[in-house]
Amino acid sequence: MNETTQSAPDRPFKNKRVLLIDDQRSFQVMMKAMLQNVGLNKVTILATAEEARRRCSKESFDIYLIDYNLGSGENGRQLLEYLREAKLLPPLAVVFIVSGDNSRSMVLSALESEPDDYMMKPFSQDQLRLRLLRALQRKQSLAGVFRALAEQEPQAVIQACDEALKDENNRYANYCRCLMAEMLLREQEPQRAHDLLIQALNDVESSWMRMSLGKACYLLGQHEAAVEHLKKAVQDRPLMVEAYRWMASAQLAASHNDAAMETLERAIQISPQSGMLHQQMAEVSLAREDYLKAKDSLSTLMELNRFSVQRTPQALGNYIHCLILYALHSEDPYHIANLQKQVNSALYRCRDALLTTEFDYAAFEQVCQARVQMARGDLVRGKKMLYKAHQNYMAEPERMPEALLSETVLGLLQLGEFEYADQLQACLSESALADPMVSQCLSSARHDSLLAERNQKYQELNEQGILAYKNGHLDEALLFFRDALRRAPANTSAALNKIQVLIQLLGQYKKDRGTELYEECRATLSALDAVILNQTQRARLDELHAEFAQLRRP
């Protein structure tokens, strides 16, 4: 793919290739005339994001003019996200988002995708020429910086910024300092970023550098200082959405939970189409067990990411998890009864997109349906569906796609299969566990007030049963295991423990008590035979079957 061509200073647009993507024929005609009048004669015009994807996979351009609203389907912001993700944009190309919608939410949503500039229709030919010229000059002046950014090499970006800052007349000095600080933060060097920004702010006040300083303080654990810096940034620039996000994180870290919620709510009022804000609101709401707000935020996020590269099975799983927790906590039979419909709707909306990938959608869908059955009280059916869904991965759980693995762990925790859930969660990658939403979903499944109480009581009873068994108190152990199963009726480990105790007791009692124990043991064995188990559980069950077969029926 060719990189941006050089041009003479007196003819800045010479040989520059332009791609205009807009679905309005009248605007296409007007823009082509404007571009030719300012000296841009190599203009390609397309009407849809789909056409742009195909064309950009074969050809590169120097200037991309992308309309935000492209009719039905993918919008301009989502197209830009795709082109970046697919690395189809040359390092020195300039990208403009263009829109006729001047609403604040639309503008902020477009700016969140970080184009080189944003232009509101209508605009004059002189405005277009000046803005294009300014964007191209910045790319050329900081060519080394943007090439390093394209290669995703933070250390190279830092070096390029440092080199650019040696020029005392560099008009982009503040940009370079902010970018350098951002790269230092990515490289986990917050102290260096902090010192750089403090020095820069002594020379000139900048809301962008102030925001970066707030981020550095947050990462250094200086949460109160971070809040103060970020408050100053939003005082100077009230529409700086990213500063609100970091302020909320710092407030949460400083245990100012109510203030964090107020910060996020204010930010969402300013920028209701910000996916990052809705993601953070969902995380915070989930931590506070506000499942209504969590599911509503994720529902909005799913809609915002429609046709987006960010619409992943993990995002779908997070949303379904919140739907289930909300239904369980609502204490309203309607929400439990309506859960199946809501989950089916969510799965259907994402089905076509996920089926085109290598992701095991069929297994994922079955895990989600299993969790619905558990929420509705049918634990036996839910358990059978859950184990069947991931039976092909039981021997090698590390082969499971991350989204399927995390959803299976959530299902096992909901079912009460705590030991098996721990085994599978250990197979999740560090990158998956580092995802704040994944981490929060797993935490909510373990510490949710309803589930945690059941889990804690189960753990206590099961451990007491094991201790009693080891001490030879079999009748006492049986009572503990029975009670543990009342707390977690589908727990395989407790059921296996109970069978082991029953087999031991069967040799001690006469016919009247022996018959009762024999039938209880047989019924528990049959219940476990009806479900697919992992290798460890199946091996232990086979051993108990062999021991039981050697007993005479009382």
Side-chain angles (χ1 to χ4, degrees):
M1 189 173 292
N2 297 324
E3 192 167 306
T4 305
T5 55
Q6 300 290 326
S7 57
D10 58 334
R11 298 185 62 187
F13 299 134
K14 183 181 180 181
N15 296 325
K16 291 288 188 287
R17 296 151 298 164
V18 180
L19 175 61
L20 170 64
I21 308 159
D22 193 289
D23 62 337
Q24 298 294 322
R25 178 60 182 165
S26 58
F27 185 75
Q28 291 176 359
V29 172
M30 181 190 72
M31 277 297 294
K32 185 172 184 179
M34 274 192 185
L35 292 166
Q36 289 176 338
N37 288 339
V38 300
L40 289 161
N41 298 310
K42 298 181 178 180
V43 181
T44 299
I45 299 176
L46 301 174
T48 68
E50 184 179 357
E51 291 175 335
R53 284 187 179 215
R54 289 197 299 266
R55 189 64 172 263
C56 291
S57 67
K58 301 174 182 177
E59 183 180 357
S60 65
F61 299 86
D62 303 289
I63 298 170
Y64 295 76
L65 302 174
I66 307 174
D67 188 61
Y68 190 98
N69 294 304
L70 294 173
S72 61
E74 192 174 22
N75 63 34
R77 172 183 170 170
Q78 291 162 343
L79 172 62
L80 176 52
E81 289 172 352
Y82 169 80
L83 294 176
R84 283 210 182 105
E85 187 82 12
K87 297 183 178 180
L88 296 177
L89 295 174
L92 304 188
V94 299
V95 181
F96 280 30
I97 293 287
V98 182
S99 177
D101 187 341
N102 64 358
S103 65
R104 184 176 62 190
S105 61
M106 178 67 76
V107 173
L108 291 175
S109 175
L111 292 177
E112 196 172 89
S113 62
E114 297 183 354
D116 292 291
D117 207 341
Y118 177 87
M119 295 197 70
M120 188 76 61
K121 301 176 185 178
F123 46 82
S124 69
Q125 182 174 296
D126 287 341
Q127 286 176 313
L128 176 63
R129 182 183 184 283
L130 180 62
R131 302 273 281 274
L132 284 174
L133 183 59
R134 188 164 56 193
L136 286 167
Q137 285 175 340
R138 187 177 75 131
K139 284 292 175 81
Q140 290 294 336
S141 296
L142 301 177
V145 172
F146 286 106
R147 288 193 180 99
L149 273 173
E151 294 298 321
Q152 298 181 339
E153 296 178 356
Q155 287 298 333
V157 176
I158 292 169
Q159 292 174 10
C161 287
D162 193 41
E163 189 65 30
L165 287 169
K166 291 178 181 178
D167 180 2
E168 295 181 358
N169 298 318
N170 187 343
R171 60 187 295 191
Y172 308 108
N174 282 349
Y175 172 81
C176 289
R177 291 188 184 101
C178 285
L179 183 58
M180 192 173 177
E182 183 65 33
M183 294 300 108
L184 287 169
L185 293 177
R186 290 189 191 181
E187 291 290 275
Q188 300 181 355
E189 295 188 63
Q191 189 61 56
R192 281 186 63 192
H194 176 278
D195 296 345
L196 168 70
L197 292 163
I198 287 289
Q199 183 180 358
L201 284 165
N202 285 334
D203 297 332
V204 59
E205 181 61 41
S206 162
S207 54
W208 294 101
M209 286 193 288
R210 185 68 63 179
M211 179 181 70
S212 295
L213 180 56
K215 292 162 64 174
C217 288
Y218 169 77
L219 294 173
L220 286 168
Q222 301 169 8
H223 303 131
E224 298 290 358
V227 171
E228 292 307 310
H229 288 303
L230 292 161
K231 278 184 178 179
K232 183 168 178 52
V234 298
Q235 284 172 358
D236 294 338
R237 285 182 177 265
L239 303 184
M240 187 181 282
V241 173
E242 188 179 359
Y244 288 101
R245 294 196 304 109
W246 282 93
M247 190 194 306
S249 295
Q251 288 167 329
L252 283 171
S255 300
H256 303 320
N257 296 344
D258 292 340
M261 287 297 291
E262 290 175 6
T263 297
L264 285 175
E265 287 168 354
R266 180 184 174 192
I268 287 175
Q269 287 177 350
I270 294 171
S271 183
Q273 296 190 57
S274 169
M276 292 185 292
L277 284 175
H278 285 288
Q279 171 89 4
Q280 191 173 13
M281 176 63 84
E283 293 166 14
V284 175
S285 300
L286 197 54
R288 292 164 60 91
E289 296 192 12
D290 187 343
Y291 301 126
L292 174 60
K293 190 166 288 185
K295 80 174 184 66
D296 287 348
S297 294
L298 288 179
S299 177
T300 301
L301 184 63
M302 294 281 288
E303 188 59 32
L304 288 173
N305 286 340
R306 195 179 179 194
F307 309 112
S308 170
V309 294
Q310 298 179 29
R311 195 167 198 186
T312 64
Q314 188 64 69
L316 175 59
N318 296 338
Y319 175 54
I320 289 173
H321 178 63
C322 289
L323 284 176
I324 291 169
L325 285 179
Y326 174 68
L328 288 172
H329 278 261
S330 66
E331 299 181 356
D332 186 340
Y334 168 79
H335 292 300
I336 292 290
N338 196 45
L339 181 61
Q340 183 78 71
K341 180 180 178 181
Q342 289 183 299
V343 170
N344 285 348
S345 175
L347 289 167
Y348 177 77
R349 290 202 305 270
C350 299
R351 186 175 184 273
D352 290 343
L354 296 182
L355 282 175
T356 60
T357 67
E358 296 180 359
F359 180 68
D360 192 344
Y361 176 82
F364 178 83
E365 181 178 27
Q366 191 162 15
V367 171
C368 294
Q369 297 291 2
R371 297 192 63 197
V372 171
Q373 297 307 315
M374 297 174 210
R376 298 176 66 177
D378 195 341
L379 293 178
V380 174
R381 184 181 180 192
K383 182 174 183 177
K384 289 179 180 179
M385 292 174 66
L386 181 64
Y387 275 76
K388 184 177 180 181
H390 72 284
Q391 64 179 321
N392 293 333
Y393 301 98
M394 281 184 170
E396 299 177 275
E398 61 278 0
R399 291 194 305 110
M400 293 175 72
E402 296 281 13
L404 176 58
L405 182 54
S406 61
E407 193 68 16
T408 302
V409 171
L410 292 172
L412 290 167
L413 291 171
Q414 183 183 344
L415 186 64
E417 289 278 31
F418 307 113
E419 296 84 1
Y420 190 26
D422 291 341
Q423 293 176 30
L424 289 190
Q425 186 167 330
C427 297
L428 280 169
S429 68
E430 290 184 8
S431 60
L433 292 172
D435 183 319
M437 197 66 212
V438 173
S439 177
Q440 192 57 62
C441 283
L442 291 169
S443 178
S444 68
R446 292 183 181 277
H447 302 116
D448 170 78
S449 55
L450 288 178
L451 301 178
E453 181 182 357
R454 184 189 66 177
N455 184 5
Q456 181 179 357
K457 194 61 181 175
Y458 158 79
Q459 296 283 10
E460 291 174 359
L461 291 167
N462 194 47
E463 289 172 6
Q464 288 172 327
I466 292 172
L467 181 61
Y469 176 81
K470 288 180 178 178
N471 291 331
H473 303 148
L474 299 182
D475 282 300
E476 186 180 351
L478 180 59
L479 292 175
F480 280 128
F481 290 135
R482 284 172 174 168
D483 206 3
L485 283 168
R486 277 192 284 273
R487 304 284 179 170
N491 187 280
T492 302
S493 295
L496 291 169
N497 289 341
K498 187 180 83 165
I499 293 168
Q500 187 168 336
V501 173
L502 287 168
I503 290 174
Q504 295 293 321
L505 285 170
L506 279 169
Q508 298 183 9
Y509 288 98
K510 296 182 180 180
K511 186 173 182 179
D512 54 347
R513 180 77 191 281
T515 301
E516 177 188 333
L517 296 178
Y518 187 92
E519 287 302 317
E520 183 178 358
C521 188
R522 184 193 60 76
T524 309
L525 284 166
S526 297
L528 291 179
D529 284 334
V531 296
I532 301 166
L533 304 178
N534 64 51
Q535 286 183 323
T536 303
Q537 293 169 338
R538 176 55 62 185
R540 188 177 174 197
L541 181 61
D542 290 343
E543 290 176 2
L544 293 173
H545 261 300
E547 293 180 31
F548 183 70
Q550 294 176 2
L551 297 173
R552 291 184 179 181
R553 186 183 184 96

